[in-house]
Amino acid sequence: MEPLYARYPFRRDAREAVAAEAVDLATVVETEPAVVERARERVVTALEEGEVGDPVRDHRTELLSYPVARVLVSLVEERVLVRRYARAEATVARERIAADVGETAELKSVAATGLDLPALLAEFDLEGSVREAAAAGTAGPGVAGGAGSGAVDAASGGPTAFDAAAEYRIEVGAYLPLAADCWGDEWRLVNRSLADGEVPVSGTELLTLLGEAVRRRVEEGLPFDVPDPIAAALEPEAEELRELCAQLELVREIDTVVPELFPPCMKALLDDVQKGEHLPHHSRFAITAFLASIGMTTDEIVELYRVNSSFGEDMTRYQTDHIRGETSPTEYSPPSCATMQSYGDCVNMDDLCERIPHPMAYYEQRLDDEDEDDLEDWREAREEAEG
């Protein structure tokens, strides 16, 4: 099986390759423990870290672990697992797409991986919906000489190469479903310069939208009915995942706000909020998702942001409700420690940080280490001070 299939197992040609070899998943799960272990790792890492773990060298094992992972997710039948798994696969796919077709990729990457931008757009039926915008003073769309790389298909106007510095145009009908679950007011159509039925996006934003296309593809059809022989063979792994989901459910039921026990990263972000400093979108998302996950209401979170000079109540309320899943199909969890590090929001690490993969796990541990009778909820203390 080709390396490309293992690298992008959600693609149609990868699925067709598995079908062409007449792979029997029941036989695989019973006779190929390496595939099952890699599938288990994909799902566990998705839950704990928001990724799918490092790929194994054997391309066949890596590819087959994807459909087996989907089986495991289906056996557990937890909506939170479906969401987290799909997002994790999409996160990794986006990173790989950026490396394979991005401007930092070597020119030989297309030959080495077999992947290019037109193939990706065609994969998600977007080949006629995305084009590279023409730069001022150059030929119009569909003619070589547009913005960025200038690599444009003369017949369709579709880009033939990716340039992160270029601006692209995507048809509004294709844009809306892909941007619907993207967090941040910059994705709202009202904040875009819609013209001739097209929405402008940067190269980086186009990658984000492709990541959303991957997430929707992965999530599609999950969970599904699993044949009894396969379900029986995978029951130990499925039970482990159920227990892990149960532990995460306990974390989500935390309803205690004690800022001095927050992980260092969230303490720093909360301090910035209370100082009225402007936070980047990823930082604002992280602290808002964290506060929502520990029991704070939308009204309480909105009140925290009032000290900011650029505070807009309607937008803050909209964003918070979106994160909570009240106005979106997804209830967002705070980013993992790995994600916080990648965005530069991981600061002031302590000894516990070295052993904990997620800010929520850190906070839960700190709460467990304290005497519950000695804990004073910040919200109650604030009400007493104001009352």
Side-chain angles (χ1 to χ4, degrees), residues 204-226:
T204 300
E205 289 172 333
L206 179 59
L207 287 180
T208 297
L209 294 176
L210 286 172
E212 281 298 296
V214 173
R215 182 190 62 78
R216 290 161 65 91
R217 170 73 60 81
V218 174
E219 193 168 338
E220 188 177 86
L222 290 176
F224 52 78
D225 292 333
V226 179

Side-chain angles (χ1 to χ4, degrees), residues 18 21-32 60 64 230:
V18 173
E21 292 202 10
V23 174
D24 178 16
L25 281 187
T27 301
V28 169
V29 300
E30 290 177 356
T31 63
E32 300 190 44
R60 182 178 184 279
L64 292 181
I230 298 178

Side-chain angles (χ1 to χ4, degrees), residues 70-379:
R70 288 173 57 85
V71 170
L72 288 173
V73 171
S74 296
L75 286 172
V76 176
E77 289 190 286
E78 286 281 357
R79 186 60 192 162
V80 65
L81 177 57
V82 172
R83 291 197 303 264
R84 291 195 182 191
Y85 174 68
R87 285 206 301 269
E89 291 281 5
T91 296
V92 172
R94 184 189 180 284
E95 293 172 353
R96 292 175 178 175
I97 290 170
D100 289 349
V101 307
E103 65 175 352
T104 59
E106 297 291 337
L107 293 177
K108 63 181 180 181
S109 66
V110 172
T113 66
L115 186 75
D116 56 18
L117 185 57
L120 276 171
L121 295 176
E123 178 68 31
F124 300 108
D125 301 320
L126 296 171
E127 64 270 37
S129 301
V130 177
R131 68 179 178 87
E132 188 174 352
T138 65
V143 181
S149 66
V152 180
D153 185 290
S156 68
T160 61
F162 176 76
D163 182 356
E167 183 179 274
Y168 294 85
R169 301 274 174 174
I170 177 170
E171 291 180 357
V172 66
Y175 174 84
L176 287 174
L178 294 177
D181 212 26
C182 293
W183 190 84
D185 57 303
E186 73 271 22
W187 292 102
R188 299 182 69 191
L189 193 59
V190 69
N191 295 321
R192 295 277 167 171
S193 301
L194 178 65
D196 299 325
E198 295 179 325
V199 182
V201 294
S202 67
T204 300
E205 289 172 333
L206 179 59
L207 287 180
T208 297
L209 294 176
L210 286 172
E212 281 298 296
V214 173
R215 182 190 62 78
R216 290 161 65 91
R217 170 73 60 81
V218 174
E219 193 168 338
E220 188 177 86
L222 290 176
F224 52 78
D225 292 333
V226 179
D228 290 341
I230 298 178
L234 292 175
E235 181 55 28
E237 289 77 16
E239 182 57 28
E240 177 191 0
L241 291 169
R242 292 188 193 102
E243 292 178 2
L244 184 55
C245 285
Q247 294 170 9
L248 290 171
E249 186 66 35
L250 290 175
V251 170
R252 292 198 307 279
E253 290 176 358
I254 289 175
D255 190 22
T256 305
V257 182
V258 186
E260 57 265 31
L261 301 183
F262 284 5
C265 56
M266 296 303 171
K267 278 185 182 178
L269 291 177
L270 181 60
D271 286 345
D272 287 343
V273 169
Q274 295 181 321
K275 291 175 184 175
E277 296 185 8
H278 175 74
L279 298 183
H281 286 295
H282 56 81
S283 302
R284 187 175 169 120
F285 169 81
I287 185 61
T288 304
F290 179 81
L291 294 175
S293 295
I294 64 174
M296 290 187 67
T297 66
T298 295
D299 287 341
E300 291 166 341
I301 294 172
V302 168
E303 192 63 29
L304 275 177
Y305 280 105
R306 286 190 186 279
V307 296
N308 197 299
S309 60
S310 60
F311 169 78
E313 179 167 348
D314 290 344
M315 181 57 65
T316 302
R317 190 174 296 279
Y318 167 82
Q319 292 174 341
T320 304
D321 284 342
H322 187 88
I323 290 172
R324 299 173 70 89
E326 295 180 11
T327 58
S328 69
T330 300
E331 178 184 349
Y332 289 89
S333 299
S336 67
C337 292
T339 300
M340 295 290 285
Q341 289 172 8
S342 69
Y343 279 120
D345 285 332
C346 178
V347 296
N348 307 324
M349 289 181 65
D350 59 22
D351 292 342
L352 183 55
C353 292
E354 300 288 348
R355 311 191 303 272
I356 294 292
H358 199 284
M360 287 298 293
Y362 180 107
Y363 187 52
E364 182 182 27
Q365 183 63 57
R366 289 296 307 276
L367 290 174
D368 288 345
D369 290 342
E370 298 290 326
D371 186 336
E372 186 175 349
D373 294 334
D374 293 336
L375 294 177
E376 183 178 31
D377 192 291
W378 174 77
R379 295 166 297 182

